[in-house]
């Protein structure tokens, strides 16, 4: 049998083409099967069509570099002629196909269903809809396109000779046999002694009902209050809208976690390690029961072959050695080990890690397609465990040896020595990591609550990183530990018999014999170099890729293409705040005795002020500025200039003001948005094109203590920027925003280039997670660090009441 010859000119319908296996399959068909065409079922994105996703996510993948090189200028024309994207979704009935999609499906000779949610921790209902029901939906769509009633033409008849049913090849997983001991044959699950006969329809009903139940539970008032409190702990006073959005996201995440846990628990209760093989197994049963030849009514019968690969990893040879798309199961564990983050991992040294290169799976699928279907549904394993076993202990030795000779490097440029694993039990490692994650959770909460900022706040971000790594390691153990301890063996007798039908040239061109894999060569020379390349980790003692990010970010921020630069004031340009400036102004004309009394009162009020500021910045400003009631306007205007020179300038960040001037030099508009009062920021106005600040009411030459203009807080800052940009025909995508606090999160999210300056702990953590640029600007050297005026006390007002420092009516200082 000649694979390329038999399949020449055939039309394939492929689901899952944007995934790892699907991309490799499409490339191999186009490169090795003359005149074959592929119809690709692709789910449209929110803003992209199926055709756009096909171009961006499939054809532009480096998997096609070889074909692009071979075809040269003819690549686009050839692909345009042979590739037909159609919009659809295996999660929808009838695949969501339109008339053109149904017509193309009806014209296909082979249907390869490779779409799946391959995550081992997918929510149960998602795994059920895609993995369990997906194969049956594909079969139903095929049957419908060959059903005269489905053509909407009363005169239509179905002529099997003219339009034979396509061969449906459903890609499953070898792990549908579970992780029990012994050998699993290439046979339908109903005949497999490893698996339990679960009612797939009952599991579908349960999963759908569970999501509805969890959605209802997540909306209970007590639960909603928990989400709201968690959002406030994370974002502080970011604003009601952002807090509500974060609270809703936490609710969604809670529902998802419950569904993930439910899927894992249900799978383990029936003998599968997690929801992925569990739902794939039930998907096989549903497909065969509903559409298998010899098992269903004749009008629903389809020719079906099930292909079960084991753990699919990087390519052995095709389209090039080491080609991989995204990280598979083993890669996160390998990289964590190489970085010294995963000190040990459970497993049985004698156990088998059943790995198979992706190009062998593709070759097997094409061989099955060329061989054609059998009279009843049939099964092929594509696995290495029986034919050419890779022992877990051997894999660990190979990885340890390779990283011993090719170490990764830490942030200081020092080589990371990889640990020697002791193959502990899964339970012990899980308990250790669970204790570590609980401890890190407590430490993270404590550190995040500290009133620190700038480089000190980096401690919170580092603690969060360690917590994330511990949680991730625990997830790896919980998800993948069972696969390192499995002793199941997947026989490949039928696969080898299929290989025997091939001519020698085909066996070489479409190699899927696991015995041909040299594991030492594959791990050392093919797989690990590819893993390191895709992980973007530091592989030399020189400067890392990560080290260059700040310079790249600054170049982007200061590009002439930017339109607008927006600055917060407090702790962004000056190390001061509204309380500091009030204290300086209020104590400037006090005698020593009254100054001491004033300071004592302010210190007493400090905890309440801080709590109010964290709870609601707007309420804080309105309340605090009442302290200016009856203060003389002229006197404060004069004192504000003294405040600027003696208090604000020594506390300013020269790099910050240099950045403002640089934006102006580049022609960017500059805006200052602050909660400070207008007379306080008056000396800064020449630096900015526009200043937004607070303004007190005035009556008879004195301040009323009530705000005439409340500066925008939280989300209002984002709205202000949007209005300003629209009024001046500017794009916020080309805007830069500088701020220090999570209360400015809305403003930072509104622009294309957010910059966290000397961030407090909450914003430091957010900036680190989102990859935002961070600046650490220092005060001018030699300046005063005192909050109160220094030098001789001005006694010109010592004998009369200073309205700025006077207690409010009722004796409560405001």
């Amino acid at each position: 049998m000649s694979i390329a010859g038999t399949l020449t000119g055939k039309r394939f319908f492929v689901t899952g083409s944007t995934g790892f296996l699907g991309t490799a399959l499409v490339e191999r068909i186009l490169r090795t099967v003359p005149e074959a065409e592929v119809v690709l079922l692709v789910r449209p994105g929110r803003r992209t069509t199926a055709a756009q996703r096909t171009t961006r996510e499939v054809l532009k993948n480096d998997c096609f570099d070889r074909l692009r090189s071979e075809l040269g200028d003819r690549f686009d024309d050839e692909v345009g002629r042979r590739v037909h994207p159609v919009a659809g979704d295996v999660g929808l009935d009838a695949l969501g196909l339109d008339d053109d999609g149904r017509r193309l499906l009806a014209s296909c000779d082979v249907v390869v269903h490779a779409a799946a949610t391959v995550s081992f921790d997918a929510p149960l209902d998602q795994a059920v809809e895609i993995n369990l029901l997906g194969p049956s939906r594909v079969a139903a769509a095929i049957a419908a396109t060959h059903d005269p009633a489905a053509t909407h033409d009363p005169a239509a008849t179905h002529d099997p000779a003219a339009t034979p049913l396509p061969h449906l090849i459903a890609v499953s997983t070898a792990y549908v046999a579970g992780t029990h001991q012994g050998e699993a044959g290439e046979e339908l699950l109903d005949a497999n002694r490893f698996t339990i006969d679960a009612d797939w329809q009952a599991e579908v009903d349960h999963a759908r009902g569970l999501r509805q139940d969890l959605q209802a539970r997540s909306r209970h008032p007590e639960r909603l209050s928990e989400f709201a409190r968690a959002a406030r702990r994370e974002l502080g006073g970011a604003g009601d809208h952002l807090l509500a959005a974060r609270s809703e996201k936490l609710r969604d995440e809670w529902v998802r976690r419950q569904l993930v846990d439910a899927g894992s628990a249900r799978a383990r209760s029936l003998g599968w390690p997690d929801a992925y093989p569990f739902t794939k197994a039930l998907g096989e049963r549903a497909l065969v029961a509903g559409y298998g030849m010899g098992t269903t009514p004749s009008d629903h019968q389809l020719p079906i072959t099930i292909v079960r690969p084991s753990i699919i990893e990087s390519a052995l040879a095709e389209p090039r050695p080491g080609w991989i798309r995204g990280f598979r199961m083993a890669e996160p564990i390998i990289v964590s080990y190489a970085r010294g983050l995963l000190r040990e991992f459970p497993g049985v040294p004698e156990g088998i890690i059943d790995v198979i290169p992706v190009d062998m799976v593709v070759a097997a699928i094409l061989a099955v397609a060329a061989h054609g279907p059998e009279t009843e549904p049939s099964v092929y394993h594509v696995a290495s465990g029986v034919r050419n076993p890779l022992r877990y202990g051997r894999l660990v030795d190979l990885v340890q040896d390779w990283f011993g000779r090719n170490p990764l490097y830490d942030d200081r440029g020092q080589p990371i020595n990889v640990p020697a694993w002791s193959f502990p039990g899964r339970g012990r490692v899980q308990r250790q990591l669970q204790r570590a994650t609980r401890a890190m959770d407590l430490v993270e909460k404590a550190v995040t609550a500290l009133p620190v900022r700038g480089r000190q706040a980096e401690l919170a971000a580092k603690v969060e990183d360690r917590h994330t790594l511990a949680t991730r390691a625990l997830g790896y153990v919980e998800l993948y530990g069972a696969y390192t301890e499995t002793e199941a063996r997947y026989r490949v007798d039928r696969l080898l018999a299929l290989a025997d039908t091939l001519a020698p040239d085909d066996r070489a061109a479409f190699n899927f014999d696991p015995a041909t894999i040299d594991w030492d060569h594959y791990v050392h020379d093919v797989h690990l170099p590819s893993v390191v390349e895709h992980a973007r980790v530091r592989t030399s003692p020189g400067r890392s890729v990560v080290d260059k990010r700040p310079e790249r970010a600054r170049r982007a921020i200061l590009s002439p293409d930017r339109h607008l630069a927006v600055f917060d004031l407090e702790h962004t340009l000056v190390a001061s705040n509204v309380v500091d400036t009030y204290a300086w102004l209020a104590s400037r004309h006090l005698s020593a005795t009254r100054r001491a009394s004033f300071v004592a009162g302010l210190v007493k009020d400090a905890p309440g002020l801080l709590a109010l500021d964290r709870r609601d910045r707007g309420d804080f400003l309105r309340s605090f500025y009442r302290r200016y009631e009856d203060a003389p306007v002229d006197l404060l205007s004069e004192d504000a200039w003294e405040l600027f020179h003696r208090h604000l300038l020594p506390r300013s960040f020269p790099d910050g003001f240099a950045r403002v001037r640089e934006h102006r030099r580049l022609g960017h508009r500059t805006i200052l948005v602050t909660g400070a009062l207008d007379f306080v920021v008056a000396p800064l106005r020449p630096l900015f094109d526009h200043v937004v600040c607070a303004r007190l009411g005035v009556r008879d030459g004195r301040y009323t203590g009530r705000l005439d203009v409340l500066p925008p807080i939280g989300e209002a800052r984002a709205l202000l920027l949007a209005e300003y940009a629209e009024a001046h025909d500017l794009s916020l995508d080309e805007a830069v925003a500088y701020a220090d606090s999570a209360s400015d999160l809305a403003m930072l999210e509104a622009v294309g280039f957010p910059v966290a300056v000397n961030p407090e702990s909450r914003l430091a953590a957010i900036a680190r997670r989102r990859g935002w640029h961070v600046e650490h600007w220092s005060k001018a050297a030699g300046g005063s660090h005192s909050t109160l005026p220094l030098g001789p006390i001005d006694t010109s007002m010592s004998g009369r009441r200073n309205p700025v420092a006077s207690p409010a009516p009722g004796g409560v200082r405001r």
Side-chain angles (χ1 to χ4, degrees):
M1 177 182 71
S2 168
I3 293 177
T6 303
L7 297 178
T8 294
K10 300 292 186 183
R11 178 173 281 182
F12 291 77
F13 186 94
V14 179
T15 71
S17 61
T18 60
F20 178 39
L21 177 60
T23 298
L25 175 64
V26 172
E27 189 275 343
R28 195 75 170 274
I29 293 171
L30 294 176
R31 182 165 51 81
T32 64
V33 182
E35 295 304 310
E37 298 182 17
V38 287
V39 179
L40 306 182
L41 181 78
V42 179
R43 185 179 68 252
R46 291 183 178 179
R47 299 181 180 179
T48 54
T49 64
Q52 290 170 333
R53 281 197 67 198
T54 299
T55 300
R56 185 181 65 195
E57 300 180 35
V58 181
L59 300 175
K60 288 189 176 181
N61 186 275
D62 61 352
C63 181
F64 286 81
D65 287 352
R66 178 175 173 179
L67 179 61
R68 187 176 284 106
S69 176
E70 291 177 0
L71 294 177
D73 295 339
R74 296 186 295 113
F75 178 83
D76 290 340
D77 290 341
E78 189 74 4
V79 165
R81 182 174 64 85
R82 298 173 62 191
V83 178
H84 311 282
V86 296
D89 187 344
V90 297
L92 300 176
D93 290 338
L95 304 182
L97 293 172
D98 59 17
D99 289 342
D100 287 340
R102 286 189 290 271
R103 177 182 55 79
L104 283 169
L105 174 58
S107 70
C108 289
D109 305 287
V110 180
V111 175
V112 181
H113 174 51
T117 174
V118 298
S119 172
F120 294 153
D121 61 345
L124 176 59
D125 64 324
Q126 179 184 337
V128 162
E129 293 294 335
I130 298 175
N131 294 343
L132 196 163
L133 294 175
S136 294
R137 289 195 178 103
V138 173
I142 295 171
T145 60
H146 290 77
D147 179 357
T151 66
H152 307 292
D153 181 359
T157 60
H158 176 222
D159 182 358
T163 57
L165 289 166
H167 180 191
L168 172 58
I169 302 174
V171 180
S172 184
T173 173
Y175 289 92
V176 295
T179 55
H180 303 276
Q181 295 181 349
E183 294 185 345
E186 294 165 292
E187 54 194 8
L188 297 177
L189 289 178
D190 290 340
N192 193 304
R193 60 188 173 86
F194 284 156
T195 56
I196 296 173
D197 187 15
D199 182 345
W200 67 266
Q201 185 61 62
E203 299 299 329
V204 171
D205 295 340
H206 166 72
R208 290 173 171 173
L210 180 60
R211 173 170 281 278
Q212 293 179 350
D213 292 344
L214 289 170
Q215 288 285 359
R217 287 170 54 191
S218 72
R219 289 173 166 82
H220 286 177
E222 299 82 2
R223 191 80 63 186
L224 292 174
S225 296
E226 291 177 12
F227 300 142
R229 287 193 295 270
R232 184 166 289 279
R233 282 196 302 270
E234 181 179 337
L235 302 183
D240 291 343
H241 179 74
L242 284 178
L243 288 172
R246 181 56 184 159
S247 178
E248 180 64 10
K249 187 173 182 180
L250 290 172
R251 188 189 68 80
D252 287 340
E253 290 173 353
W254 179 86
V255 171
R256 185 186 189 281
R257 284 196 305 272
Q258 301 302 310
L259 286 165
V260 169
D261 292 344
S264 298
R266 181 57 177 156
R268 288 193 295 267
S269 74
L270 294 174
W272 285 280
D274 52 67
Y276 174 62
F278 165 55
T279 52
K280 292 293 278 187
L282 297 190
E284 284 190 25
R285 286 179 174 160
L287 174 64
V288 172
Y291 298 93
M293 296 179 70
T295 62
T296 57
S298 58
D299 58 338
H300 287 151
Q301 289 184 356
L302 296 177
I304 295 172
T305 303
I306 296 171
V307 174
R308 296 179 185 153
S310 55
I311 300 169
I312 307 177
E313 289 293 352
S314 62
L316 177 65
E318 303 277 347
R320 60 175 174 80
W323 177 79
I324 194 170
R325 177 168 190 165
F327 270 12
R328 320 317 304 163
M329 175 185 136
E331 285 70 51
I333 301 172
I334 290 173
V335 172
S336 295
Y337 168 74
R339 294 176 64 192
L341 304 175
L342 201 56
R343 309 303 299 181
E344 54 186 359
F345 199 81
V348 178
E350 299 80 12
I352 291 176
I353 299 296
D354 204 315
V355 171
I356 194 75
V358 64
D359 48 338
M360 286 193 166
V361 182
V362 169
I365 291 172
L366 293 178
V368 169
H371 179 268
E374 299 181 16
T375 56
E376 293 183 353
S378 57
V379 176
Y380 291 93
H381 284 158
V382 191
S384 61
V386 170
R387 178 79 164 160
N388 185 10
L390 174 61
R391 305 285 176 182
Y392 181 50
R394 178 59 179 156
L395 175 61
V396 170
D397 289 342
L398 289 171
V399 172
Q400 183 176 351
D401 175 67
W402 195 86
F403 281 109
R405 292 184 287 107
N406 304 277
L408 303 186
Y409 289 80
D410 61 21
D411 293 338
R412 297 168 296 174
Q414 298 299 310
I416 299 172
N417 295 320
V418 291
W421 278 356
S422 59
F423 305 104
R426 183 153 43 114
R428 193 188 89 184
V429 178
Q430 280 184 269
R431 289 190 294 271
Q432 290 175 344
L433 290 172
Q434 285 167 351
R435 287 194 295 269
T437 53
R438 286 194 295 267
M440 293 300 294
D441 185 51
L442 294 174
V443 172
E444 183 180 349
K445 289 178 179 178
V447 171
T448 303
L450 294 175
V452 295
R453 62 178 58 252
R455 296 192 184 278
Q456 293 175 323
E458 287 187 343
L459 173 63
K462 290 178 179 178
V463 168
E464 182 187 42
D465 278 352
R466 302 302 295 186
H467 187 195
T468 299
L469 292 172
T471 303
R472 189 179 301 159
L474 177 60
Y476 293 156
V477 171
E478 291 176 341
L479 287 176
Y480 306 138
Y483 292 88
T484 63
E485 295 176 341
T486 182
E487 296 185 50
R489 306 289 183 268
Y490 309 110
R491 297 200 61 84
V492 289
D493 305 278
R494 301 189 74 251
L495 182 77
L496 297 179
L498 178 63
D500 288 341
T501 67
L502 302 179
D505 288 348
D506 259 20
R507 294 194 67 165
F510 295 90
N511 175 32
F512 51 84
D513 184 352
T516 62
I517 304 172
D518 177 342
W519 288 118
D520 289 16
H521 164 70
Y522 177 75
V523 173
H524 274 183
D525 303 326
V526 176
H527 188 62
L528 291 181
S530 178
V531 169
V532 169
E533 177 187 355
H534 285 82
R536 293 179 58 83
V537 289
R538 191 170 183 174
T539 57
S540 67
R543 295 187 65 187
S544 69
V545 174
V546 177
D547 290 336
K548 299 177 182 178
R549 286 179 59 188
E551 286 81 358
R552 291 201 303 269
R554 288 191 187 97
R555 286 197 297 271
I557 287 165
L558 294 174
S559 166
D561 295 334
R562 304 293 85 80
H563 294 174
L564 181 68
V566 187
F567 292 83
D568 180 39
L569 177 64
E570 298 173 356
H571 298 292
T572 301
L573 294 175
V574 296
S576 183
N577 55 48
V578 298
V579 178
D580 283 350
T581 55
Y582 167 77
W584 198 96
L585 291 168
S587 63
R588 173 162 169 70
H589 301 288
L590 295 180
S591 64
T593 302
R594 293 191 65 196
R595 181 182 293 180
S597 176
F598 164 78
V599 170
L602 199 58
V603 169
K604 180 182 177 182
D605 291 346
L609 295 173
L610 180 61
L612 180 59
D613 189 21
R614 287 183 171 180
R615 187 166 60 249
D616 190 300
R617 180 69 172 172
D619 287 349
F620 164 76
L621 291 177
R622 280 187 290 268
S623 174
F624 189 79
Y625 283 154
R626 292 295 298 277
R627 294 168 182 259
Y628 283 92
E629 183 179 357
D630 209 30
V633 173
D634 292 341
L635 178 63
L636 285 184
S637 296
E638 295 174 7
D639 287 350
W641 282 93
E642 197 75 12
L643 166 77
F644 177 72
H645 288 289
R646 295 197 179 188
H647 178 73
L648 296 180
L649 270 184
R651 289 169 170 259
S652 68
F653 303 136
D655 288 339
F657 285 108
R659 182 64 58 84
V660 177
R661 288 191 288 270
E662 181 65 11
H663 279 293
R664 290 179 66 86
R665 186 189 69 80
L666 291 167
H668 307 159
R669 287 180 179 266
T670 55
I671 300 179
L672 178 66
V673 182
T674 176
L677 290 165
D678 54 348
F679 57 82
V680 172
V681 301
L684 297 174
R685 285 187 178 275
L687 275 175
F688 297 93
D689 295 299
H690 187 58
V691 174
V692 181
C693 58
R695 188 172 70 243
L696 290 169
V698 176
R699 184 176 58 247
D700 299 330
R702 292 181 177 273
Y703 287 114
T704 64
R706 299 180 183 275
L707 285 168
D708 273 3
V709 176
L710 177 67
I713 306 297
E715 294 98 333
R717 291 192 171 191
L719 294 175
L720 169 78
L721 295 186
E723 292 172 357
Y724 185 90
E726 183 177 2
H728 294 83
D729 196 25
L730 305 174
S731 170
L732 288 185
D733 289 339
E734 299 295 340
V736 186
Y738 298 83
D740 71 295
S741 170
S743 63
D744 295 311
L745 187 59
M747 181 175 77
L748 292 169
E749 289 181 336
V751 301
F753 298 86
V755 181
V757 179
N758 302 333
E760 45 82 30
S761 55
R762 285 193 181 98
L763 182 58
I766 293 170
R768 194 177 185 91
R769 285 196 298 270
R770 301 188 184 184
W772 290 352
H773 183 57
V774 177
E775 293 281 7
H776 296 289
W777 292 338
S778 302
K779 291 186 293 185
S784 169
H785 296 284
S786 173
T787 300
L788 303 178
L790 299 177
I793 298 173
D794 185 345
T795 60
S796 62
M797 293 188 65
S798 61
R800 45 195 177 110
R801 181 171 69 90
N802 182 354
V804 179
S806 296
V812 179
R813 189 175 298 276
R814 293 177 293 184

